[in-house]
Amino acid sequence: MRSTNETTAKDRKETLPQPAAATQPAVSKWQELGISKNDMLEMYYQLVLARTLDERIWLLNRQGKTAFVISCAGQEATQVGFAKALKPGYDVVWPYYRSLALALSMGMTPTEVMLHQLSKAEDPSSGGRQMPAHFGLARLNMVSVSSPVATQLTQATGSGYASKLKGDDKVTYTFVGDGGTSKGDFHEALNFAAIHSLPVVFVVENNGYAISVPISKQMHIANIADRATAYGMPGVVVDGNDLLEVYRVACDATDRARRGDGPTLVEAKTYRYRPHSSSDDDRAYRTKEEVEEWRLKDPIIGFERYLEEHGLITKEGEQAVRNRAKQAVEEAQRYAEAAPNPSPDTIMRYVYAEEGQN
Amino acid sequence: MRSTNETTAKDRKETLPQPAAATQPAVSKWQELGISKNDMLEMYYQLVLARTLDERIWLLNRQGKTAFVISCAGQEATQVGFAKALKPGYDVVWPYYRSLALALSMGMTPTEVMLHQLSKAEDPSSGGRQMPAHFGLARLNMVSVSSPVATQLTQATGSGYASKLKGDDKVTYTFVGDGGTSKGDFHEALNFAAIHSLPVVFVVENNGYAISVPISKQMHIANIADRATAYGMPGVVVDGNDLLEVYRVACDATDRARRGDGPTLVEAKTYRYRPHSSSDDDRAYRTKEEVEEWRLKDPIIGFERYLEEHGLITKEGEQAVRNRAKQAVEEAQRYAEAAPNPSPDTIMRYVYAEEGQN
Amino acid sequence: MPLKTVLEAVREALFEEMRRDENVFVLGEDVGQRGGVFRVTEGLQKEFGEMRVLDTPLAESAIAGVAIGAAVRGMRPVAEFQFADFIHPAVEQIIDEAARFRYRSNNTFSCPVVFRAPYGGGVQGGMYHSQSVEAMFAMWPGLKVVTPSFPYDYKGLLKAAIRDNDPVVFFEHKKTYSLPSVKQEIPAGDYIVPLGKAKVVKEGTNLSVFAYGMMLHQSLQAARAMEQEGISVEVVDLRTLRPLDRETILNSVRKTGRAMIVHEANLFGGFGGEIAAIIAEEAFEWLDAPVRRLAGLDVPGMPFALALEEEFMPNPTKIADGMRQLAAY
Amino acid sequence: MPLKTVLEAVREALFEEMRRDENVFVLGEDVGQRGGVFRVTEGLQKEFGEMRVLDTPLAESAIAGVAIGAAVRGMRPVAEFQFADFIHPAVEQIIDEAARFRYRSNNTFSCPVVFRAPYGGGVQGGMYHSQSVEAMFAMWPGLKVVTPSFPYDYKGLLKAAIRDNDPVVFFEHKKTYSLPSVKQEIPAGDYIVPLGKAKVVKEGTNLSVFAYGMMLHQSLQAARAMEQEGISVEVVDLRTLRPLDRETILNSVRKTGRAMIVHEANLFGGFGGEIAAIIAEEAFEWLDAPVRRLAGLDVPGMPFALALEEEFMPNPTKIADGMRQLAAY
Ligand SMILES: Cc1ncc(C[n+]2csc(CCOP(=O)(O)OP(=O)(O)O)c2C)c(N)n1
Ligand SMILES: Cc1ncc(C[n+]2csc(CCOP(=O)(O)OP(=O)(O)O)c2C)c(N)n1
Ligand SMILES: [Mg+2]
Ligand SMILES: [Mg+2]
């Protein structure tokens, strides 16, 4: 994943035609965006893998094997699109608890996810200390997630400031839900980033709800991206279920940040298929019909169709990808289930640095 | 003051010509706005009174009679304009520490201000418990000011919500500096007020600095009022040194709120002549020339000139107003200086309600 | 009378108070249509409408600030923080504003607001859904802080909090919400349990235990087990942390000569320190043994993995051990 | 060596650390061009430029969050809160984020940040410019909390804080910033005072006093006065509240048999409770008298009027009275 991304990111500026070219019918959008066929298939795999893993985790929850699930189902395209535009391990990512597909496509392995989900000692995100879906992986520069909503935003701004101080050209990305944009942190973070023209991309995954609270009770505006004007930065609305569009927008925002032109606010309109978490019951606040309607716009089915239409995959190819994902998930589960739980002896460790540590 | 205001507010809709009429040369702006000659003179008095009192307080500070001064000099027109548009004792006001002219024109007496400034037992705002300029007067529905910047904003929103629950038609006004708009509270308050279409008028007194930090380091936009679009409410920029313009804008926002059409964000561009407070030295961060330039736009001189040009006052009349203000300030000082200090015995009172109290 | 859970007791108090006084209204994240993530406010919106049972944006500082503003206007807001863990963005509003309105205005303004927050762990909530933050609020004059243990008290104290003329932080231990063993018969109608009064829930002569919330129940369980070992433990349910009922605490220690404090929040800097300090100062002559504190471990949040969560928590076994040692001192 | 004030000591530490390590940078309201409202950061921007001495918008949560984010990236930010009173909007960032990065990530991320905040009263700062909020932070595992008293320690401890690999909240008592009586000779060059070590600043045999900040100086003054009355008071400067130097505290109490704690923050729920509790538990056998706490009054903020401010505050006279009573017990 990483080397693919790096190549793409490096070559993008040269290979990407200017917006005007987008209307040329001879070149398909994926080519226009400079994505190789291999990468198209790899993105498809990431979508499928995330969904497959997610479904397996829900199953484990019903089996009583894991106490808590919070899932990204429905929001995969946004996350895979951004993962493709950034350089994992080089750029810096402040994700949130719904960032499973992002984490996977950045390079977190299904086994690492499972070890975290099952709170095993080897869990690389937290050693079993945090709730599931509180990702973090040092080798990917994917920073440890906490539960308080929106705290990551000013931290991502601080990361952007660090890049400016260091003079590196890393881009910092941070992800937040629509609900998180109501919190003061959103305002303070975007304002600060704009003042200093920091290389930060703020991505709002607008799935229409903060748990049960619909957008109409969260704000009196149509697009969260419109808030960008309040800070003097560009705001972009994108169909979060359209992977290629997300990728295009993500590349633009990345280029802008990398060039030193400052932050961008991206709003990806999408939906979550599952209840807020395994503790939630979404029937209290949304209709089956609404969910069904969005199911028709499933980003994975959409991408599948696109691949088919452009002759990039066959039905058998799809099945092979699904099998590959299923196998990866099964291996991950097998390994993680057999792995040891954290030992109670370790509970007092790492409150502070140990002797001689950073 | 109160009854005058009430009449004006009641009559305004009928007497106010539509914007187009503003270009008619026959009617002067003050008439167009439905202000009586008496009220014009009364507003002038309020401007002068605030400035006179402010200057006296600085003098007392230099004489070692009061430990702390924070002043509204330069911002009087904004405050007097809003005070004229609201109904003191009926509407609800959440001021800030620079709201001296507002407080006075709402009906706080110079003596009440002096008792507060000198931290006397009779201080009606705090009984000497708070720093000077932390106004509050129950009979005027002017709510107790605290020092933490911007905390009043969500509270004013709550007051608007209370009005909606009670079904009254009170308008809530709140005042904050440009610096305060960077804090998360600004975002949370305006968002909340917009969602519920609350009768709240948010007034930003933009004097160009948060202590030493200039606007350019506070935000990456030209007008704070532009932030209104991020919430779906109207935002208006007004020359804060132009009393009649402020009054017009204040009336519009008031009408809108009173009609049930929701909140407005008003940004009054103005300047403070004094250092941030008696503890500050502004030479570290702004030039004498800049201060001098703004001194030329002094809202009091501007209004004086307007009164003269429209034949509403003579030079002698102005002198009489100044004398009246000086006398009021002197009486206030005399009374307050003679008034007793708070007794140490009272220190434990009113931490909680006393038996049988609200 | 039917047995009721803590959750039902809280809900009943809300229903009754909202019926009694139309100035009472409820606001918070997901409290309306969803009836709260714990279902505490279920049914309220149906009876009282969207205005009085208000789903707010995700903005805790605004939840507090809006409630405070409405309270200053004479309303009686009951603001919910979805988890006590997420009260932190509202700290400025609660301690600088709500707690100080009366004092700073020399009694000319007041702020009768209730802040409800489910706290505590043992529910695999992990580092950010298990916190006990009572000490952080109990330290501020101007606030009252309530931590009931039994359904009867939850209802009566919440009613008292809503009618109180000053701001109250009302903590509800989430693990006890639906715990069958904590059910109690409570009257359907109106009654008040006054703020500021602790209660001896089990008399004893050898040592006194002070606790609240889940730890009160676990202490009680341990205390009962001690009977068989011939150790007579008095258990005091503190109920309100501020104002603290010093009299009941000191009377108990002066009787038994031995004191133990149990809480789930971590030990260092926790509320137990205050109680221990009061006892050490004012019951010095009566003490036959050091004042002992038993509490959560000093780590930055309760870990999620079951084995770690259990290690973190005091429990009846650990409490019983503590009791034995203290009695034997 | 010239005598230096607390303020100069802090400033010197900042200059030296910024020269030593280019990852150190300073941010806060008015810290740049203005040099801080107390002039602590004066001259820094001139030497290190606008990027490393950054004037922020008025947004404390962002000040903390930005510092944390930069710290996670390997920088060494020193964030200033203009007054400790205004740290409250940053509570979530400090206790949920900074304090937990290492623990929650099982040691894969860390957050080496320093939060500086001038605290304390006696300067007619009124209810919102006088607060002592140390207890609110000292209660959180994952944080270190430092409250020096003398210029030498201010410099050495701030340097240690900046080099520490975990988050440190560094409180500076604003009344002592320029107090001539507190001046001290301090070396110009590099030295460290390790975090977590208290210091006996005056030996004594009859009773032990534990304090920090302004109250340390006032306790010392009272202790010296006691000599004439034949009461020998040991004074311990706590210097760091978390991690607390239990050993030095307990050694002192075990020697004198009497303990008194003095702080300016209000009594109930203040940090004194923790110290008293530790002494009551671990030095029980050595105590000849109840552990006594002397502190600010339990009102919601220090009032502004001089007469009220004086009434609020402990002072050498009140402390001396307390010493006499305790010695006579
Ligand atoms: C500060 C804070 N308040 C409340 C919560 C409880 N909570 C967790 S997720 C959530 C809703 C978040 O909605 P949104 O930001 O839209 O993200 P989504 O889950 O829809 O992706 C809430 C209220 C929290 N975690 N943090
Ligand atoms: C939350 C908070 N942070 C910092 C301060 C210290 N402080 C007091 S006034 C001020 C600047 C306010 O500037 P602005 O809002 O523009 O108002 P102005 O004084 O210019 O009218 C600051 C930083 C404070 N009082 N509250
Ligand atoms: Mg959402
Ligand atoms: Mg300003």
Side-chain angles (χ1 to χ4, degrees):
Chain A
M1 245 334 259
R2 199 180 319 172
S3 62
T4 318
N5 265 306
E6 278 173 4
T7 318
T8 315
K10 230 184 13 257
D11 300 343
R12 201 182 314 125
K13 238 177 276 174
E14 299 88 87
T15 57
L16 246 183
Q18 292 310 300
T23 53
Q24 290 173 10
V27 188
S28 316
K29 184 165 183 172
W30 64 281
Q31 294 168 309
E32 194 192 297
L33 289 167
I35 312 176
S36 70
K37 180 178 169 181
N38 260 357
D39 284 2
M40 286 293 282
L41 293 177
E42 181 61 20
M43 290 196 292
Y44 175 57
Y45 172 66
Q46 294 300 342
L47 292 173
V48 172
L49 176 63
R51 185 68 60 88
T52 309
L53 187 49
D54 188 83
E55 279 168 3
R56 178 62 56 95
I57 290 170
W58 281 95
L59 192 68
L60 294 177
N61 176 251
R62 279 194 296 274
Q63 293 170 349
K65 290 181 177 169
T66 184
F68 182 80
V69 190
I70 194 155
S71 111
C72 77
Q75 305 181 200
E76 295 91 345
T78 298
Q79 300 180 18
V80 173
F82 268 92
K84 172 113 191 84
L86 65 86
K87 299 186 202 174
Y90 181 77
D91 290 330
V92 187
V93 175
W94 248 270
Y96 85 124
Y97 51 76
R98 241 178 251 300
S99 298
L100 173 63
L102 174 75
L104 288 169
S105 10
M106 280 176 66
M108 188 168 180
T109 69
T111 302
E112 289 173 320
V113 171
M114 260 319 177
L115 284 164
H116 175 54
Q117 181 67 44
L118 299 181
S119 314
K120 295 306 177 109
E122 276 177 69
D123 157 26
S125 293
S126 80
R129 290 167 170 198
Q130 289 221 73
M131 277 186 146
H134 286 56
F135 308 107
L137 213 45
R139 74 166 190 279
L140 295 174
N141 290 346
M142 181 172 76
V143 179
S144 167
V145 168
S146 66
S147 307
V149 165
T151 49
Q152 70 273 29
L153 301 177
T154 50
Q155 293 172 22
T157 296
S159 170
Y161 198 75
S163 281
K164 212 168 162 183
L165 281 167
K166 289 166 188 259
D168 68 33
D169 77 337
K170 291 172 192 242
V171 176
T172 299
Y173 301 78
T174 184
F175 297 80
V176 69
D178 46 287
T181 69
S182 301
K183 203 156 159 259
D185 307 64
F186 176 83
H187 180 67
E188 297 191 6
L190 270 73
N191 190 43
F192 200 115
I195 293 168
H196 297 284
S197 229
L198 301 180
V200 184
V201 182
F202 296 95
V203 186
V204 179
E205 300 187 27
N206 180 352
N207 60 16
Y209 292 88
I211 306 187
S212 73
V213 182
I215 289 290
S216 62
K217 287 184 181 161
Q218 293 183 50
M219 62 197 74
H220 191 55
I221 51 171
N223 298 310
I224 295 170
D226 295 348
R227 294 197 157 152
T229 58
Y231 308 105
M233 69 169 78
V236 186
V237 178
V238 63
D239 175 353
N241 286 9
D242 181 341
L243 203 163
L244 294 183
E245 262 310 289
V246 169
Y247 176 65
R248 180 203 298 282
V249 163
C251 288
D252 288 349
T254 300
D255 290 347
R256 196 178 127 76
R258 189 115 44 218
R259 274 198 311 269
D261 289 348
T264 303
L265 172 63
V266 177
E267 176 188 8
K269 308 248 192 205
T270 180
Y271 200 77
R272 70 168 151 76
Y273 295 148
R274 299 283 189 169
H276 174 75
S277 74
S278 50
S279 316
D280 183 34
D281 180 352
D282 58 341
R283 289 169 304 179
Y285 56 84
R286 60 183 192 180
T287 62
K288 257 189 199 151
E289 291 69 37
E290 183 184 297
V291 181
E292 283 315 314
E293 209 173 290
W294 276 94
R295 284 270 188 196
L296 299 177
K297 305 181 210 161
D298 189 322
I300 304 187
I301 297 173
F303 197 66
E304 245 169 43
R305 228 173 270 151
Y306 186 93
L307 291 176
E308 289 167 14
E309 282 167 16
H310 290 76
L312 294 168
I313 203 164
T314 60
K315 285 283 172 202
E316 299 77 54
E318 286 166 16
Q319 196 49 53
V321 165
R322 275 187 221 113
N323 290 344
R324 186 181 148 210
K326 197 174 161 216
Q327 205 180 323
V329 168
E330 254 152 31
E331 269 166 37
Q333 182 182 340
R334 213 172 6 253
Y335 183 92
E337 286 193 326
N341 287 320
S343 156
D345 308 340
T346 62
I347 194 167
M348 297 307 298
R349 295 194 69 177
Y350 312 135
V351 177
Y352 300 101
E354 299 185 349
E355 202 59 36
Q357 273 188 350
N358 274 338
Chain B
M1 246 333 262
R2 199 179 318 172
S3 63
T4 319
N5 265 307
E6 276 172 5
T7 319
T8 315
K10 226 177 27 247
D11 301 344
R12 199 181 316 124
K13 237 180 279 175
E14 299 88 83
T15 57
L16 245 184
Q18 291 311 298
T23 54
Q24 288 174 12
V27 188
S28 321
K29 186 165 181 170
W30 65 280
Q31 293 167 310
E32 194 190 297
L33 290 167
I35 312 177
S36 69
K37 180 178 167 180
N38 262 355
D39 283 3
M40 286 293 283
L41 294 177
E42 180 61 21
M43 289 196 292
Y44 175 58
Y45 173 67
Q46 294 300 341
L47 293 173
V48 172
L49 176 63
R51 185 69 61 87
T52 309
L53 187 49
D54 189 83
E55 280 168 3
R56 178 63 55 96
I57 289 169
W58 281 96
L59 193 67
L60 293 176
N61 176 251
R62 277 193 300 272
Q63 294 172 349
K65 290 183 177 169
T66 183
F68 183 79
V69 189
I70 194 156
S71 111
C72 77
Q75 304 181 199
E76 295 93 344
T78 298
Q79 299 180 18
V80 173
F82 268 93
K84 172 111 191 86
L86 64 85
K87 301 188 202 172
Y90 181 77
D91 290 331
V92 187
V93 175
W94 248 270
Y96 86 125
Y97 51 75
R98 243 179 250 299
S99 297
L100 172 64
L102 174 75
L104 288 170
S105 9
M106 281 176 65
M108 187 165 181
T109 68
T111 302
E112 288 173 321
V113 172
M114 254 329 171
L115 285 163
H116 175 53
Q117 181 67 43
L118 299 182
S119 314
K120 296 306 176 107
E122 276 179 68
D123 158 24
S125 294
S126 82
R129 289 166 170 199
Q130 288 221 73
M131 275 185 147
H134 286 56
F135 309 106
L137 213 44
R139 75 165 190 280
L140 295 174
N141 288 348
M142 181 172 73
V143 179
S144 166
V145 168
S146 65
S147 307
V149 164
T151 49
Q152 70 271 33
L153 301 176
T154 52
Q155 294 171 22
T157 297
S159 170
Y161 197 76
S163 281
K164 213 170 161 179
L165 281 168
K166 289 166 188 256
D168 67 34
D169 76 339
K170 291 173 193 243
V171 177
T172 299
Y173 301 79
T174 183
F175 296 80
V176 70
D178 46 288
T181 69
S182 300
K183 202 154 160 260
D185 306 63
F186 176 84
H187 179 67
E188 297 190 6
L190 270 73
N191 190 43
F192 201 115
I195 293 167
H196 296 284
S197 231
L198 301 180
V200 184
V201 183
F202 296 95
V203 186
V204 179
E205 300 187 26
N206 180 353
N207 60 14
Y209 292 89
I211 307 187
S212 74
V213 183
I215 290 290
S216 62
K217 287 184 181 164
Q218 293 184 48
M219 62 197 72
H220 191 55
I221 52 171
N223 298 311
I224 294 170
D226 294 348
R227 293 198 159 149
T229 57
Y231 308 106
M233 70 169 77
V236 186
V237 177
V238 65
D239 175 353
N241 287 10
D242 181 340
L243 203 165
L244 294 183
E245 262 310 289
V246 169
Y247 176 66
R248 181 204 297 283
V249 164
C251 288
D252 289 350
T254 300
D255 289 346
R256 196 177 126 74
R258 190 124 31 223
R259 275 198 310 269
D261 288 349
T264 302
L265 172 63
V266 177
E267 175 189 7
K269 307 248 193 207
T270 179
Y271 201 78
R272 68 165 153 77
Y273 295 147
R274 298 282 187 171
H276 174 75
S277 75
S278 50
S279 316
D280 184 32
D281 179 353
D282 58 341
R283 290 169 301 178
Y285 55 83
R286 61 183 192 181
T287 61
K288 258 189 199 154
E289 291 69 39
E290 185 185 296
V291 181
E292 282 317 312
E293 209 174 289
W294 275 94
R295 283 271 188 195
L296 299 177
K297 305 181 208 161
D298 189 323
I300 304 186
I301 297 174
F303 197 64
E304 246 171 41
R305 226 172 274 151
Y306 186 92
L307 291 176
E308 290 167 13
E309 282 166 17
H310 290 76
L312 294 168
I313 203 164
T314 60
K315 286 284 171 200
E316 298 75 52
E318 285 166 18
Q319 196 50 53
V321 165
R322 277 188 220 110
N323 291 344
R324 183 179 151 211
K326 199 173 161 220
Q327 204 181 323
V329 167
E330 257 154 29
E331 268 168 35
Q333 182 181 339
R334 216 175 0 255
Y335 183 91
E337 285 193 328
N341 288 320
S343 155
D345 308 341
T346 62
I347 193 167
M348 298 306 298
R349 295 193 71 177
Y350 312 135
V351 177
Y352 300 100
E354 298 185 350
E355 201 60 36
Q357 277 189 345
N358 274 338
Chain C
M1 277 189 295
L3 291 172
K4 298 234 166 101
T5 60
V6 165
L7 194 148
E8 287 161 345
V10 172
R11 188 192 288 146
E12 210 164 280
L14 291 173
F15 266 103
E16 290 180 15
E17 289 303 295
M18 289 187 74
R19 285 182 196 135
R20 187 188 57 79
D21 179 356
E22 62 175 15
N23 289 321
V24 178
F25 74 102
V26 164
L27 70 165
E29 294 154 11
D30 306 291
V31 297
Q33 176 126 21
R34 178 75 176 74
V37 297
F38 293 101
R39 307 260 184 230
V40 172
T41 54
E42 199 160 62
L44 283 180
Q45 193 177 70
K46 208 166 167 199
E47 177 165 341
F48 302 104
E50 285 197 14
M51 285 290 295
R52 286 183 67 200
V53 185
L54 167 65
D55 279 321
T56 66
L58 200 166
E60 283 77 8
S61 185
I63 291 171
V66 165
I68 289 167
V72 169
R73 289 286 309 282
M75 305 299 296
R76 296 270 163 171
V78 181
E80 174 178 303
F81 298 96
Q82 196 160 86
F83 288 80
D85 309 67
F86 308 131
I87 202 171
H88 299 154
V91 158
E92 183 181 49
Q93 285 289 344
I94 296 172
I95 68 182
D96 282 344
E97 299 293 327
R100 303 189 194 195
F101 253 103
R102 186 181 298 280
Y103 193 78
R104 81 184 190 212
S105 69
N106 207 27
N107 210 28
T108 57
F109 289 92
S110 66
C111 186
V113 55
V114 177
F115 302 109
R116 291 181 46 242
Y119 76 109
V123 297
Q124 277 214 290
M127 291 182 59
Y128 295 100
H129 294 79
S130 307
Q131 288 178 60
S132 297
V133 299
E134 62 279 6
M136 211 164 142
F137 294 94
M139 63 183 278
W140 292 104
L143 291 181
K144 299 184 177 178
V145 176
V146 185
T147 51
S149 309
F150 289 99
Y152 181 89
D153 291 335
Y154 267 99
K155 181 173 168 184
L157 285 165
L158 182 52
K159 282 168 162 268
I162 291 171
R163 297 181 202 180
D164 197 87
N165 290 323
D166 289 298
V168 179
V169 186
F170 192 88
F171 287 112
E172 302 165 10
H173 198 292
K174 67 175 84 74
K175 172 140 187 159
T176 67
Y177 265 150
S178 305
L179 214 58
S181 61
V182 173
K183 282 186 173 184
Q184 223 179 17
E185 288 194 346
I186 62 173
D190 194 39
Y191 65 93
I192 286 285
V193 174
L195 305 183
K197 299 271 172 236
K199 189 179 174 187
V200 177
V201 292
K202 179 185 169 305
E203 302 221 3
T205 52
N206 296 138
L207 66 97
S208 304
V209 174
F210 305 97
Y212 48 93
M214 188 62 207
M215 287 306 125
L216 187 277
H217 298 292
Q218 300 204 343
S219 299
L220 207 46
Q221 191 181 328
R224 291 203 180 106
M226 284 303 98
E227 299 285 328
Q228 288 141 29
E229 304 182 19
I231 301 172
S232 167
V233 181
E234 178 146 311
V235 180
V236 179
D237 183 354
L238 294 175
R239 299 201 293 194
T240 301
L241 304 188
R242 183 174 203 125
L244 186 69
D245 184 353
R246 305 161 76 97
E247 205 187 320
T248 300
I249 294 169
L250 292 170
N251 283 345
S252 181
V253 180
R254 286 176 183 147
K255 181 173 78 173
T256 64
R258 287 176 163 79
M260 178 165 158
I261 301 136
V262 188
H263 60 61
E264 191 180 312
N266 57 270
L267 184 102
F268 189 88
F271 189 72
E274 182 59 36
I275 306 173
I278 289 172
I279 295 171
E281 182 157 9
E282 299 186 30
F284 179 71
E285 305 266 344
W286 288 265
L287 282 177
D288 299 321
V291 182
R292 181 154 162 68
R293 291 180 292 164
L294 198 72
L297 297 182
D298 280 323
V299 296
M302 199 179 296
F304 182 83
L306 253 187
L308 299 177
E309 188 183 82
E310 278 165 14
E311 183 72 12
F312 174 93
M313 285 287 249
N315 60 35
T317 311
K318 295 181 196 172
I319 298 170
D321 278 351
M323 289 170 172
R324 266 181 221 108
Q325 281 170 30
L326 189 57
Y329 185 92
Chain D
M1 276 189 299
L3 290 172
K4 298 233 166 102
T5 61
V6 165
L7 194 148
E8 287 161 343
V10 172
R11 188 191 288 148
E12 209 164 284
L14 291 172
F15 266 103
E16 289 179 17
E17 289 304 294
M18 289 187 75
R19 284 181 195 137
R20 188 189 55 80
D21 179 355
E22 64 173 16
N23 290 320
V24 178
F25 74 102
V26 164
L27 71 166
E29 295 154 11
D30 306 291
V31 297
Q33 176 126 19
R34 178 76 174 74
V37 298
F38 294 102
R39 307 261 185 228
V40 172
T41 54
E42 199 159 61
L44 282 181
Q45 194 177 68
K46 205 162 171 204
E47 176 164 342
F48 302 104
E50 285 197 13
M51 285 291 293
R52 287 182 68 197
V53 185
L54 168 64
D55 278 321
T56 67
L58 201 166
E60 282 78 9
S61 185
I63 291 172
V66 165
I68 290 167
V72 168
R73 289 287 307 284
M75 305 300 295
R76 296 271 164 167
V78 181
E80 173 178 304
F81 298 96
Q82 196 159 87
F83 287 80
D85 309 66
F86 308 130
I87 202 170
H88 299 154
V91 158
E92 184 181 47
Q93 285 289 344
I94 297 171
I95 68 182
D96 281 345
E97 300 293 327
R100 302 189 194 196
F101 253 103
R102 185 182 299 279
Y103 193 78
R104 83 185 190 210
S105 70
N106 208 26
N107 210 28
T108 59
F109 288 94
S110 66
C111 187
V113 56
V114 176
F115 301 111
R116 290 181 47 241
Y119 76 109
V123 298
Q124 276 213 288
M127 291 182 61
Y128 294 100
H129 294 80
S130 308
Q131 288 177 60
S132 297
V133 299
E134 62 278 7
M136 211 164 142
F137 294 94
M139 65 182 277
W140 293 103
L143 290 181
K144 299 183 178 179
V145 176
V146 184
T147 52
S149 308
F150 289 99
Y152 181 90
D153 290 337
Y154 268 98
K155 180 171 169 186
L157 285 164
L158 181 51
K159 281 169 163 265
I162 291 172
R163 298 181 202 180
D164 198 86
N165 291 321
D166 289 298
V168 178
V169 186
F170 192 89
F171 288 112
E172 302 165 9
H173 197 292
K174 68 174 83 73
K175 171 140 187 158
T176 67
Y177 265 151
S178 305
L179 214 59
S181 61
V182 172
K183 281 187 174 184
Q184 226 181 15
E185 289 193 346
I186 61 172
D190 193 40
Y191 66 91
I192 286 286
V193 175
L195 305 182
K197 299 270 173 238
K199 188 178 174 188
V200 178
V201 292
K202 178 184 172 305
E203 303 222 3
T205 54
N206 295 137
L207 67 96
S208 305
V209 174
F210 305 98
Y212 48 94
M214 189 62 208
M215 287 304 125
L216 187 277
H217 297 293
Q218 301 205 342
S219 299
L220 208 46
Q221 191 180 327
R224 292 205 180 105
M226 285 301 100
E227 299 285 329
Q228 289 142 26
E229 304 182 21
I231 301 172
S232 166
V233 181
E234 176 145 313
V235 180
V236 179
D237 182 355
L238 293 175
R239 300 202 291 194
T240 301
L241 304 187
R242 183 174 203 125
L244 185 69
D245 184 353
R246 306 160 76 96
E247 207 187 316
T248 301
I249 294 170
L250 293 170
N251 282 344
S252 180
V253 180
R254 286 177 184 145
K255 183 173 78 173
T256 64
R258 287 175 163 79
M260 176 165 159
I261 301 136
V262 188
H263 60 61
E264 188 180 315
N266 59 271
L267 184 100
F268 188 88
F271 190 72
E274 181 59 35
I275 305 173
I278 289 171
I279 294 171
E281 184 158 7
E282 298 184 30
F284 179 72
E285 304 266 345
W286 288 265
L287 281 177
D288 298 322
V291 182
R292 178 153 166 71
R293 290 180 291 163
L294 197 74
L297 296 182
D298 280 323
V299 296
M302 199 179 297
F304 181 84
L306 253 186
L308 299 177
E309 188 184 81
E310 278 165 16
E311 183 72 11
F312 174 91
M313 285 287 247
N315 60 35
T317 311
K318 296 182 196 172
I319 298 170
D321 278 352
M323 288 172 173
R324 268 182 220 107
Q325 280 171 32
L326 190 56
Y329 185 92

